[in-house]
Amino acid sequence: QVQLVESGGGLVQAGGSLRLSCAASGRTFSSYAMGWFRQDPGKEREFVAAISWSGSSTHYADSVKGRFTISRDNAKNTVYLQMNNLQPEDTAVYYCNADKTFPTVVARRITYWGQGTQVTVSS
């Protein structure tokens, strides 16, 4: 069992930056690929980024490539999402996830989810 707790969301102006963090419980963190999805009300949860067990491989949605960076610190059981040049269309609830498969880009296949953190980008 893996429990995930996100933090770092908030309100930012367009062009600004935020860094999300996701702290994981359990001693098997390094055996899970980690990632981020986001969801707007009334829309499906969409893939944002994923990182492999060791952190050596990453995968991004086209909409965030070049702006977002995912990283992990296995010693701290934490995964991060650095978001730069944020735009209003990035506004959503961001969810951290853990899964045995990398990359998992379909929400229904994800094993573990955090509770989500709101990111709002004003124009």
Side-chain angles (χ1 to χ4, degrees), residues 2-122:
V2 177
Q3 293 184 328
L4 305 171
V5 179
E6 301 98 332
S7 61
L11 174 64
V12 64
Q13 289 187 333
S17 299
L18 283 174
R19 189 175 83 154
L20 305 183
S21 299
C22 174
S25 65
R27 295 175 292 176
T28 59
F29 175 74
S30 61
S31 68
Y32 285 88
M34 302 294 295
W36 294 90
F37 281 66
R38 64 188 181 188
Q39 188 170 22
D40 255 346
K43 295 185 179 179
E44 292 188 356
R45 194 169 293 189
E46 66 172 1
F47 170 77
V48 174
I51 189 165
S52 63
W53 309 267
S54 66
S56 59
S57 298
T58 57
H59 184 65
Y60 296 94
D62 288 343
S63 59
V64 305
K65 278 182 183 176
R67 301 189 298 124
F68 290 12
T69 302
I70 189 171
S71 61
R72 67 189 295 163
D73 186 337
N74 287 345
K76 296 182 178 179
N77 281 14
T78 302
V79 62
Y80 305 97
L81 186 67
Q82 177 67 43
M83 305 184 294
N84 297 329
N85 190 22
L86 283 160
Q87 300 301 315
E89 53 267 32
D90 296 315
T91 295
V93 176
Y94 283 70
Y95 295 91
C96 175
N97 68 268
D99 200 80
K100 287 290 190 177
T101 303
F102 170 82
T104 302
V105 301
V106 178
R108 67 177 182 273
R109 295 179 180 173
I110 292 294
T111 305
Y112 298 107
W113 292 103
Q115 83 288 352
T117 185
Q118 177 70 47
V119 171
T120 303
V121 184
S122 62

